[in-house]
RNA sequence: CGGGGUGUGGCGCAGUUGGUAGCGCGCCUGGUUUGGGACCAGGAGGUCGAAGGUUCGAGUCCUUUCACCCCGACCA
């Protein structure tokens, strides 16, 4: 490809007010251009890189026996209704109608479609396990697009779906896990594999593949010694026992002229934070219930865990008005002791969810559902009962992992995930079944596996760049060699053309900077910005010496090679060069 | 959805008390240059986000609306 003919140009100035490096570099170098928020044009260079990534992903999917398909972009809305995901999907579904008024969802993920395809066939146990995958545009009406390609509203995703028996699943899951590790390694991305929450996808467990990065949106914890790794949504930690040796003392109401914070309680009673009860009141819009979350005072409530424990979907904080008028309590003085079972005015049910840590303390103190009144010596079971007891605590850096090591907090970009779905979809959708050895119909045990291509591309740039621009790993670079022609003497042009032709013939991907009237500095700057792995210079200088200057992107020194040496080294292999 | 901000040639921006829309970069032409983003001369390109209003006259004032950015909330 000749630079003079390449569509999409670099820009001397950054001209973009983003704190995400990949966003700035990809835009400045002419790989992408924003359309509207969260929707991007991929220019020829960007599309080439995207295709290179797709090729690598495809290779590894094929290697584990997954079969490529293409599902329709428009999903009949009835399918999403069949699994109740028109309301529970974590992203807003985008819907459209055709001229007859038939409703469709723009695909944001495709579990229903995959099941619908599978059930159109008479699948036998002999066909299992079965995996299908596709590369297709996904649509998500994100509340807020962010960070260039990191969080967008339309993107190409590799999504795979596995069907099989429960016994087969472990092996299938492991195959995807290994394939993902191989994919990211080939892409030059270091990833942490982290246990996470299934959320709206459904199922019981899943793992995210996260590329560590300060600009990532995923927060997770790692125990370096044991390798324990978990997303903050699900991370667990060891809770220490406090004063379990103490006698249970009598419940007692005291005056409490204090503010509404935890610190106010500590200061007034001059007792430790961990002995205070933390009472957080939520309302679940999905099930129309109040959720009172109780936890030891030195911990915070993890809303994801809380939703799992309470079976809630759409949590929000209760308002002061609701606390006072509907529940007869007082913000800052909420207590589980004699807390109402339902809202007096609304009739909404109240569910009390308590954290396991409540079992590590005796004689707690906290509010008494009245302004400026506190209770002392609150004890679980004796003074209040839980509807649900679970781990709803938020892990923090420095806490002890379940394996005994210390939790270290990290941030990163979630570039892929693998989900156990189990019977979730087979239970919700009719005929999601195969025929077993006895000729009986059995439900599929399923998994789902996603990789965001554009986000992965951005993650690679986040991991591979310097102050001059991108530094592509060779196997996804849009071109291998940037041939910079300096000077416009006939001999130089002729020689550069010749080298371009012979390299191209040898199968080397060359981006030939044949621009006239463009100075050396500009060509070098573009080569660096674009991140092409090798820069080859042809000029009257190199012509005089009979050798050509070859420089690896990011290397300090260039090397002088004869024409044959240049051609041969690239034609054979580029991996051990320089 | 809450708070803050911005919409003016491809990009980045200026535009005073309302009076014929400008600058830098980029682009095109000619010339001089040519190893880390040159210089001179000439040129093309804008219904000033949209709609309505006030006015002799609106980029500027008023109303409505749309889009986008940042911070939260929320979420791959």
């Amino acid at each position: 490809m000749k630079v003079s003919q390449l569509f999409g140009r670099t820009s001397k100035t950054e001209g973009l007010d983003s704190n995400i490096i990949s966003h700035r570099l990809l835009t400045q170098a002419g790989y992408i251009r924003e359309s509207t928020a969260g929707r991007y044009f991929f220019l020829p260079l960007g599309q080439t890189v995207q295709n290179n990534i797709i090729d690598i992903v495809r290779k590894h999917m094929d290697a584990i026996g997954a079969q490529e398909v293409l599902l329709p972009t428009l999903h009949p809305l009835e399918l999403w209704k069949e699994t109740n995901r028109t309301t529970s999907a974590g992203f807003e579904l985008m819907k459209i109608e055709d001229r007859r008024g038939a409703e469709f969802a723009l695909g944001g993920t495709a579990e229903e479609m995959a099941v619908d395809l599978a059930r159109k066939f008479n699948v036998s146990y002999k066909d299992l396990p079965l995996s299908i995958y596709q590369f297709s545009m996904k649509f998500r009406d994100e509340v807020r697009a962010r960070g260039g390609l990191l969080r967008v509203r339309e993107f190409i995703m590799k999504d795979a779906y596995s069907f099989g028996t429960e016994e087969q699943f472990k092996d299938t899951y492991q195959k995807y896990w290994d394939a993902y590790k191989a994919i990211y390694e080939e892409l030059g991305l270091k990833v942490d594999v982290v246990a996470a929450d299934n959320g709206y996808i459904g199922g019981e467990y899943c793992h995210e593949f996260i590329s560590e990065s300060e600009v990532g949106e995923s927060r997770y914890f790692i125990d370096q010694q044991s390798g324990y790794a978990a997303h903050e949504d699900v991370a667990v930690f060891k809770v220490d026992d406090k004063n379990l040796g103490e006698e249970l003392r009598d419940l007692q109401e005291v005056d409490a002229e204090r503010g509404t914070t935890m610190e106010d309680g500590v200061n007034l009673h001059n007792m430790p934070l961990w002995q205070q009860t933390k009472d957080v009141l939520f309302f679940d819009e999905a099930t129309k219930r109040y959720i009172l979350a109780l936890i030891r005072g030195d911990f915070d409530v993890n809303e994801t865990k809380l939703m799992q424990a309470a079976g809630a979907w759409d949590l929000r904080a209760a308002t002061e008005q609701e606390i006072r008028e509907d529940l007869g309590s007082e913000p800052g003085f909420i207590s589980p002791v004699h807390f109402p079972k339902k809202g007096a005015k609304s009739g909404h049910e109240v569910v009390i969810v308590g954290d396991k840590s409540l079992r590590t303390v005796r004689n707690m103190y906290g509010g008494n559902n009245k302004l400026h009144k506190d209770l002392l010596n609150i004890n679980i079971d004796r003074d209040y009962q839980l509807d649900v007891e679970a781990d709803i605590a938020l892990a923090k850096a420095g806490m002890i992992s379940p394996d005994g090591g210390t939790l270290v907090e990290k941030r990163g970009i979630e570039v892929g995930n693998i989900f156990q779905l189990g019977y979730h979809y087979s239970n919700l959708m009719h005929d999601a079944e195969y025929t077993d050895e006895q000729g009986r119909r059995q439900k599929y045990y399923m998994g789902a596996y996603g990789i965001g291509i554009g986000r992965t591309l951005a993650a690679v740039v986040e991991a591979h760049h310097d102050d001059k621009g991108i530094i592509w790993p060779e196997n996804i670079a849009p071109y291998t060699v940037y041939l910079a022609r300096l000077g416009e003497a006939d001999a130089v042009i002729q020689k550069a053309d010749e080298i371009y032709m012979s390299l191209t013939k040898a199968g080397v991907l060359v981006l030939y900077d044949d621009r006239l009237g463009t100075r050396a500095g500009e060509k070098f700057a573009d080569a660096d910005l674009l991140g092409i792995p090798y820069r080859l210079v042809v000029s009257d200088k190199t012509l005089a010496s009979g050798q050509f200057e070859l420089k690896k992107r990011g290397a300090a020194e260039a090397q002088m090679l004869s024409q044959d040496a240049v051609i041969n080294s690239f034609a054979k292999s580029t991996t051990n060069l320089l």
Side-chain angles (χ1 to χ4, degrees):
Chain A
M1 185 68 198
K2 293 180 176 175
V3 173
S4 62
Q5 287 162 17
L6 182 65
F7 176 57
R9 63 181 66 249
T10 59
S11 166
K12 186 158 65 175
T13 50
E14 276 192 353
L16 189 67
D17 186 24
S18 169
N19 47 358
I20 309 294
I21 291 165
S22 61
H23 189 194
R24 288 204 307 262
L25 287 179
L26 288 168
T27 304
Q28 192 188 344
Y31 283 83
I32 59 170
R33 189 63 171 265
E34 187 173 67
S35 167
T36 58
R39 301 177 207 282
Y40 284 85
F41 295 103
F42 277 78
L43 298 168
L45 285 174
Q47 187 57 13
T48 302
V49 177
Q50 187 156 251
N51 283 333
N52 291 344
I53 294 174
I54 287 174
D55 287 344
I56 289 174
V57 174
R58 176 182 289 121
K59 183 178 79 185
H60 288 278
M61 287 296 101
D62 290 345
I64 59 170
Q67 303 179 55
E68 185 168 357
V69 296
L70 184 60
L71 310 175
T73 302
L74 299 191
H75 301 181
L77 202 62
E78 298 88 74
L79 283 180
W80 288 74
K81 286 178 179 159
E82 206 174 332
T83 56
N84 295 318
R85 289 216 296 175
T86 49
T87 48
S88 71
F91 52 90
E92 276 298 302
L93 261 189
M94 303 206 64
K95 295 173 204 165
I96 58 170
E97 283 184 11
D98 70 7
R99 69 175 78 197
R100 294 164 310 181
E103 291 182 297
F104 295 90
L106 279 164
T109 172
E111 285 77 10
E112 289 85 352
M113 289 296 278
V115 171
D116 192 45
L117 175 60
R119 71 185 173 187
K120 288 181 190 300
F121 294 87
N122 236 329
V123 173
S124 140
Y125 72 96
K126 294 174 194 162
D127 303 320
L128 303 182
L130 167 69
S131 269
I132 56 175
Y133 76 97
Q134 65 168 342
F135 295 95
S136 73
M137 195 60 84
K138 296 293 181 289
F139 299 84
R140 298 189 177 182
D141 196 3
E142 294 285 348
V143 269
R144 192 179 147 207
R146 196 192 144 260
L149 298 182
L150 288 182
R151 170 160 234 92
V152 294
R153 298 195 167 107
E154 286 187 28
F155 60 100
I156 293 181
M157 183 191 224
K158 186 284 297 176
D159 47 328
Y161 306 91
S162 71
F163 302 84
T165 68
E166 189 162 355
E167 296 71 46
Q168 288 166 341
F169 183 72
K170 213 177 163 186
D171 179 57
T172 301
Y173 198 73
Q174 189 62 44
K175 277 189 172 138
Y176 275 98
W177 183 309
D178 294 340
Y180 274 36
K181 294 281 276 190
I183 287 168
Y184 292 118
E185 192 179 330
E186 198 164 335
L187 294 174
L189 272 187
K190 286 202 191 92
V191 292
D192 288 315
V193 188
V194 167
D197 181 59
N198 288 49
Y200 59 84
I201 301 281
E204 287 119 46
Y205 58 89
C206 70
H207 288 85
E208 294 183 353
F209 289 71
I210 300 183
S211 168
E212 189 178 358
S213 161
E214 280 176 17
V215 300
E217 298 181 296
S218 296
R219 200 188 299 272
Y220 60 105
F221 296 95
I222 286 199
D223 173 348
Q224 310 276 18
Q225 287 101 61
S226 74
Y228 173 80
H231 194 277
E232 69 170 339
D233 288 346
V234 300
V236 296
F237 57 94
K238 280 192 171 160
V239 180
D240 51 329
D241 289 339
K242 289 297 186 185
N243 59 345
L244 292 182
E246 262 181 37
E247 295 281 310
L248 296 191
R249 291 193 292 269
D250 289 344
L251 193 64
Q252 182 190 353
E253 185 185 75
V254 295
D255 290 332
E257 286 286 339
R258 60 165 174 88
T260 57
T261 68
M262 299 296 288
E263 288 73 37
D264 293 327
V266 168
N267 293 334
L268 177 74
H269 298 284
N270 197 25
M271 288 167 78
L273 180 62
W274 53 258
Q275 204 166 354
Q276 195 174 166
T277 60
K278 183 176 280 185
D279 318 74
V280 194
L281 193 64
F282 295 92
F283 185 75
D284 179 32
E285 292 285 358
T287 57
K288 300 290 175 198
R289 295 174 304 163
Y290 289 106
I291 313 281
L292 176 58
L294 301 180
I295 194 166
R296 207 171 86 182
D298 55 335
F299 294 147
D300 288 322
V301 173
N302 178 326
E303 290 191 28
T304 304
K305 288 184 183 177
L306 179 64
M307 286 196 282
Q308 291 278 4
W313 266 114
D314 190 8
L315 228 46
R316 63 161 171 84
T319 64
E320 296 200 354
Q321 195 178 16
E322 287 168 329
I323 294 172
R324 289 203 180 93
E325 295 172 18
D326 202 20
L327 297 165
S329 185
E330 177 66 29
F333 291 85
I334 295 174
S335 168
V337 182
H338 304 305
F339 198 80
K341 295 269 180 248
K342 56 171 65 174
K345 290 164 84 175
S346 66
H348 293 318
E349 185 193 347
V350 173
V351 182
I352 301 182
V353 182
D355 186 65
K356 294 182 306 186
S357 61
L358 295 169
R359 300 260 173 221
T360 63
V361 195
R362 290 189 163 183
N363 301 320
M364 301 184 81
Y365 64 100
N368 195 18
N369 297 319
K370 285 177 274 193
L371 184 62
H372 295 163
K373 293 289 180 190
D374 274 355
L375 283 173
L376 300 181
N377 307 324
I378 306 169
N379 284 289
I380 189 165
D381 298 336
R382 186 192 69 179
D383 304 320
Y384 66 94
Q385 287 78 40
L386 300 178
D387 298 311
V388 179
E389 185 171 339
D391 170 16
I392 57 167
L394 189 67
K396 287 183 186 156
M399 287 175 164
I400 306 302
S401 94
D403 302 325
T406 304
L407 290 180
V408 176
E409 182 175 330
K410 291 191 175 189
R411 281 184 145 259
I413 302 162
E414 182 196 340
V415 288
N417 48 31
I418 53 179
F419 289 87
Q420 175 265 19
L421 300 176
Y423 297 114
H424 185 84
Y425 288 88
S426 318
N427 283 334
L428 291 170
M429 298 178 71
H430 68 84
D431 290 330
E433 297 170 335
Y434 63 95
T435 309
D436 73 6
E437 292 91 325
Q438 279 79 41
R440 289 176 312 207
R441 302 287 285 163
Q442 301 286 358
K443 289 180 192 298
Y444 289 120
Y445 197 90
M446 292 179 58
Y449 318 85
I451 289 180
I453 302 300
R455 183 183 275 186
T456 299
L457 190 157
V460 171
V461 176
E462 290 291 336
H464 299 282
H465 67 268
D466 62 15
D467 55 351
K468 288 179 177 160
I470 302 167
I471 306 176
W472 290 115
E474 255 179 73
N475 50 5
I476 58 168
Y479 293 93
T480 309
V481 178
Y482 193 93
L483 175 60
R485 185 184 72 199
L486 309 183
E488 288 161 19
D490 284 348
V492 172
I493 294 181
Q494 228 171 61
K495 181 53 77 178
D497 284 354
E498 184 190 322
I499 291 182
Y500 173 56
M501 292 305 292
S502 38
L503 279 174
T504 303
K505 253 187 212 141
V508 183
L509 297 168
V510 182
L511 186 57
Y512 176 21
D513 195 343
D514 62 331
R515 287 176 293 179
L516 298 170
T518 303
R519 297 161 72 90
E522 196 170 340
K523 295 191 175 184
F524 291 157
D526 277 348
D528 290 341
L529 178 62
L530 290 168
I532 310 301
Y534 296 96
R535 187 185 78 196
L536 183 63
V537 175
V538 176
S539 68
D540 45 8
K541 241 191 239 180
T542 65
L543 221 55
S545 73
Q547 295 199 307
F548 301 92
E549 176 188 307
L550 185 64
K551 184 167 177 294
K552 187 165 183 166
R553 174 72 176 87
E557 296 292 317
Q559 216 185 53
M560 300 304 291
L561 293 176
S562 72
Q563 183 169 345
D564 284 348
V566 167
I567 307 288
N568 287 336
S569 56
F570 280 110
K572 266 184 270 162
S573 148
T574 54
T575 45
N576 289 324
L577 199 67
L578 296 188

